[in-house]
Amino acid sequence: MAVPEPGTKVDYMDKLEVSIEDGSATTCSDGAAEFGSASYARPVADHASRRIEKDANRCQEAGAYYVLLERSGDGAAGPEPWDVELRFVSEPGLKAAAPTQAPESWPSASPAAPAGGPQKRHGGTSFHDSMGLSQGEWQDTIKPGETLFYRVPVDWGQQLFAGADLANSPAADDAQSVSNALVLALYSPSRGFVDDDSSMYYDGKQKTVSLDPLPPVAYENRYASDDSAAAMRFAGWSTSRSRSARRSRRRSARTRSR
């Protein structure tokens, strides 16, 4: 995970690339933590992996493997260094044969939120101190340029639905319009990027962003051609991250699984 200091200048071309190589410099896999269209620095993350697979012809031998990090861009970003967080995860081997065909369809209707209205929960500042959420509706306040982290447990066979709202402004008629006002992003338990939504155009009136419906967590999702579907191959604590590009606002988040 790349963690630029708040206020650090970034460009949409800036990214932190991560890869795993064997002793002969053969790349096993790679990933890139990117800022995309956002104009503000925020924590971003992705992962690389080495997988033992039948009939695979690279990165299968035991021995030393190397993690490489490379920061790249078009030169528009500031020279400030970025802090980096690294995490190692080892996936247990299969105890029995598993399907090798990814699902092609899955439920798209979000379940209804529990009664009782939103409950207050304050998000963490990183993956390490992210606030744990369960199924429900949650309320928080986010500052300009701030990033908040939340953890949601998603077990095998469960499906995650996530969305976030920015509330009405008391001075909605005089509010300045802002593109990409709130970014909602989801990461897997291995901190691999899953999906995001940065389409919110905020004009002082309540607006919503939500992630596209994702498949239930299953081992065979790793064979999906769609990257977001393939990322839903780990059971555990998935992390949702929200970042604001506007002055302080009360936001509501909805997390639902089934």
Side-chain angles (χ1 to χ4, degrees), residues 158-238:
Q158 289 189 321
Q159 190 176 11
L160 176 68
F161 296 85
D165 305 329
L166 277 184
N168 290 328
S169 168
D173 293 339
D174 300 321
Q176 180 183 1
S177 299
V178 178
S179 299
N180 309 119
L182 184 73
V183 179
L184 175 66
L186 180 68
Y187 294 87
S188 72
S190 67
R191 297 189 185 175
F193 174 76
V194 179
D195 197 10
D196 67 5
D197 188 338
S198 60
S199 62
M200 181 183 288
Y201 179 79
Y202 188 73
D203 57 3
K205 300 177 182 178
Q206 181 169 327
K207 295 294 172 63
T208 299
V209 292
S210 59
L211 302 180
D212 291 335
L214 297 163
V217 175
Y219 176 88
E220 57 268 27
N221 287 339
R222 68 191 62 215
Y223 300 107
S225 57
D226 178 78
D227 290 342
S228 295
M232 300 302 291
R233 64 182 186 266
F234 302 111
W237 289 92
S238 295

Side-chain angles (χ1 to χ4, degrees), residues 119-185:
Q119 303 177 51
K120 292 185 177 181
R121 294 288 189 279
H122 188 57
T125 60
S126 71
F127 286 97
H128 294 294
D129 66 354
S130 53
M131 169 60 69
L133 301 178
S134 58
Q135 179 168 311
E137 187 172 2
W138 313 95
Q139 190 176 76
D140 202 348
T141 299
I142 189 168
K143 299 175 182 178
E146 184 179 23
T147 301
L148 300 176
F149 289 77
Y150 308 88
R151 295 181 297 137
V152 183
V154 188
D155 208 347
W156 297 110
Q158 289 189 321
Q159 190 176 11
L160 176 68
F161 296 85
D165 305 329
L166 277 184
N168 290 328
S169 168
D173 293 339
D174 300 321
Q176 180 183 1
S177 299
V178 178
S179 299
N180 309 119
L182 184 73
V183 179
L184 175 66

Side-chain angles (χ1 to χ4, degrees), residues 11-26:
D11 186 80
Y12 75 97
M13 291 292 290
D14 287 307
K15 59 185 176 181
L16 181 70
E17 297 176 271
V18 55
S19 61
I20 294 179
E21 295 184 356
D22 65 12
S24 62
T26 298

Side-chain angles (χ1 to χ4, degrees), residues 68-84:
L68 281 74
L69 298 177
E70 181 180 4
R71 173 180 166 178
S72 61
D74 63 359
E80 296 86 357
W82 300 347
D83 289 335
V84 175

Side-chain angles (χ1 to χ4, degrees), residues 53-58 60:
E53 300 177 291
K54 183 180 180 181
D55 301 326
N57 57 13
R58 62 178 181 175
Q60 301 298 293

